[in-house]
Amino acid sequence: MDRRDALQRIAAMSVLGSVAGCAEFDDGYSSAEMPRSGSVAWPENRPKTALVLGSGGPRGFAHIGVLKVLEAAGIEPALVVGSSAGAIAGALYAAKIPTPEIERRALDLGITEIADPAFLQPTRFIGRALQNFINREVGERAIEALPRNFCAVAAPVGKRELVAFTFGNTGAAVRASAALPSMFRAVYIGGVAYEDGDMVSPVPIQIARTLGATRIVAVDVSAFLDDTPDRAPESWRTRDAERRAIIDREAKSADLLFRVRLPYYAGASREYRENLIQLADAQTRGAIERFAAVLRD
């Protein structure tokens, strides 16, 4: 079953459809909780270190393997910046949920927890289910109330720019960051439509610099171009090459760009998620001293 078939089947489920209808026209937060940008309150007497977690769809489960190793080693960045899948993992980590628990929730995550088809666009998710999931997991706390500094990055639709959400409703900010146009409807915040900034900045390193970080480790879960199968469509090759060029240009602003090597084709099964987390865990262990050199106080 491909993604479009799955979405259409979900849309046909009357219970989900009724819930989606309510969520489709409701922000799910008060005006005072609207996500917004602002300066980061850096901890005193420690370096301004940042961990940037890039986008990558299902490949983003690999971020959990990275976070598990950093937590076990006692390495804690002062700021977590996340884009798309990286924003999802980053928000849970910023809430100081133990990484084994983040892993458990990621492995147990079911489609009904994030599936809320739009009435007007039944092949798209609204995103409120994802927003609600994140808010439940972080204890309904706003971004500025999370134990670790956090920033969710999104792109205004039609613009080659990024917005760094550092205040307001955590779930809504992550929802905007993860609104991949092929799967989710754009998310309106303050009258502006936002979407996943993947093709603007898949690994938003410069955002971390702009927020004041002086040491940055960025984690890239993108496909390696030399792993591309011969049968891969030309459109995929073009997109991968464009993303790689964007990342490589921005990588000059990072102290360390850590690329996790993963299978080329993405999946959604529990086995796929487990494999990605294990691969990232092993590769991060092999590079832990490089992480420590940048992120450790």
Side-chain angles (χ1 to χ4, degrees), residues 34 79 110 141 148 155 161 165 190 243 251 265 272:
M34 184 175 68
L79 169 67
R141 287 175 289 186
R148 292 186 174 105
E161 61 185 55
F165 292 117
R243 292 180 82 257
Y265 290 110
Y272 174 80

Side-chain angles (χ1 to χ4, degrees), residues 258-276:
F258 182 67
R259 299 186 64 195
V260 185
R261 194 157 210 150
L262 304 169
Y264 183 82
Y265 290 110
S269 69
R270 183 184 180 94
E271 292 73 20
Y272 174 80
R273 303 174 200 182
E274 288 175 339
N275 184 40
L276 261 59

Side-chain angles (χ1 to χ4, degrees), residues 37-77:
S37 301
S39 59
V40 172
W42 292 96
E44 296 182 2
N45 304 317
R46 64 169 297 191
K48 295 180 179 179
T49 57
L51 177 67
V52 180
L53 305 178
S55 58
R59 302 169 70 88
F61 284 104
H63 288 309
I64 298 170
V66 175
L67 295 173
K68 285 178 63 181
V69 175
L70 294 184
E71 182 176 80
I75 298 173
E76 181 176 4

Side-chain angles (χ1 to χ4, degrees), residues 53-153:
L53 305 178
S55 58
R59 302 169 70 88
F61 284 104
H63 288 309
I64 298 170
V66 175
L67 295 173
K68 285 178 63 181
V69 175
L70 294 184
E71 182 176 80
I75 298 173
E76 181 176 4
L79 169 67
V80 182
V81 176
S83 175
S84 194
I88 296 172
L92 303 183
Y93 178 70
K96 284 201 171 181
I97 300 172
T99 54
E101 179 61 18
I102 295 176
E103 179 180 25
R104 184 191 69 78
R105 290 296 292 117
L107 295 177
D108 291 344
L109 185 67
I111 188 66
T112 57
E113 294 186 77
I114 61 170
D116 50 358
F119 279 169
L120 301 180
Q121 292 179 287
T123 58
R124 297 287 187 276
F125 291 148
I126 298 168
R128 266 294 299 280
L130 174 61
Q131 175 177 319
N132 293 343
F133 168 78
I134 293 294
N135 282 332
R136 286 195 303 271
E137 294 299 310
V138 305
E140 305 295 335
R141 287 175 289 186
I143 295 174
E144 65 271 23
L146 297 175
R148 292 186 174 105
N149 280 329
F150 174 64
C151 167
V153 179

